[in-house]
Amino acid sequence: TGNGLIVSFGEMLIDFVPTVSGVSLAEAPGFLKAPGGAPANVAIAVARLGGKAAFVGKLGDDEFGHMLAGILKENGVVADGITFDQGARTALAFVTLRADGEREFMFYRNPSADMLLKPEELNLELIRSAKVFHYGSISLIVEPCRSAHLKAMEVAKEAGCLLSYDPNLRLPLWSSADEARKQILSIWDKADLIKVSDVELEFLTGSDKIDDAAALSLWHPNLKLLLVTLGEKGSRYYTKNFHGSVDAFHVNTVDTTGAGDSFVGSLLSKIVDDQSILEDEARLRSVLTYSNACGAITTTKKGAIPALPNDEEVLALIRG
Ligand code: ADP
């Protein structure tokens, strides 16, 4: 796990998750407050594996915002990139666990503090000191956080960071599916590394086949690595020179929340100090085996952050 800094940009929020499935949050006998937000999960995934991570984003100056900042710090994530909004409240998600195991979300974003991050509030020095800059697309939805997102990407690129993108499609947040597709693709060719899920691949290509042709239709000339995560079917990788797939681990899955964040965070922590791994298929496959193990372990416990593994747990699963 590397020494170089990985900056993860975007939102952090609290998921209110009912203790039982098949009923809405209002009808549930109880609920859990689970910290989440994909970019924050990625930062904690890196730190838990022993890497250096910072989170850049905005929280409300309220009890939830301070709780979330505390969770990042407790987990060893550099918190110098967090700003607190004096007016708006921290983002919240109200989750329904459907009987079939899928999750439905309702968001408090009216607007929430994360949406109010302004370009001039970015900690540019922190971003410039990173080796990898990771981002998701939720902050592309509205101003001013959209401009902050684009500025942070530009500054990271100028500073020579590797740009890592996970679209984190959450359709209910967008005004329409077309708008989501358009915005996600508008920043597509800026990234050096992109990770999509099978669902995102279908959505972005409009094809219901998750095959090499669909993945390669998303290729852009400056891309170094495209990853497609397939849940219990593992992951696929595509580079300019080779492509292939790596099988998943068999585990006792209880909640898949955060598996993709764990997968991508672990991968970044392995390549941050040595990007030549991206050009060497054997070494890349061994990193992806590690990342598949991280994703698998994350599905064995409820919630994202509590389920993110440390290095020992990952090595134990790989050894079998
Ligand atoms: P996302 O959260 O982006 O949809 P996935 O759910 O595909 O991502 O999970 C990311 C990775 O975690 C997968 O590529 C796989 O290696 C691992 N993983 C996810 N779900 C399971 C599962 N049920 N069993 C084993 N591994 C899993």
Side-chain angles (χ1 to χ4, degrees), residues 195 197 229-232 234-235 248-249 251 253 256 259-260 263 292 295-296 299:
K195 177 237 148 215
S197 66
T229 55
L230 305 164
E232 61 189 9
S235 51
F249 288 85
V251 290
T253 295
T256 61
F263 174 88
N292 278 352
T299 72

Side-chain angles (χ1 to χ4, degrees), residues 10-17 32-41 44 55 57-60 62 64-69 71-72 89-95 103 105-109 112-115 138-139 170 173 257 261 304-305:
E11 74 285 352
M12 185 172 196
L13 46 77
I14 296 179
D15 286 338
F16 289 83
V17 188
L32 305 170
K33 278 196 298 223
N41 294 342
I44 295 177
F55 174 75
K58 199 171 203 187
L59 300 168
D62 52 23
F64 293 135
H66 290 284
M67 177 183 134
L68 293 175
I71 289 168
L72 288 169
R89 311 210 24 123
T90 300
L92 305 173
F94 302 100
V95 181
R103 291 153 53 98
F105 292 89
M106 250 178 55
F107 292 95
Y108 168 75
R109 292 169 71 85
S112 50
D114 57 314
M115 299 161 89
I138 288 179
S139 27
R170 294 276 183 274
L173 288 171
T257 310
D261 304 326
I305 292 169

Side-chain angles (χ1 to χ4, degrees), residues 15 25 41-42 44 62 91 96 101 108 115 123 157 184 193 196 203 218 244 249 254-255 268 285 297 303 306 319:
D15 286 338
L25 192 66
N41 294 342
V42 170
I44 295 177
D62 52 23
T96 295
Y108 168 75
M115 299 161 89
N123 183 340
K157 192 87 184 174
I184 288 169
L193 186 161
V196 291
F203 175 79
L218 291 177
F249 288 85
V254 296
D255 174 10
L268 297 177
R285 288 183 65 88
I297 294 170
R319 279 196 303 264

Side-chain angles (χ1 to χ4, degrees), residues 208-220:
D208 55 6
K209 277 212 208 91
I210 308 161
D211 56 12
D212 290 344
L216 289 169
S217 73
L218 291 177
W219 187 261
H220 73 72

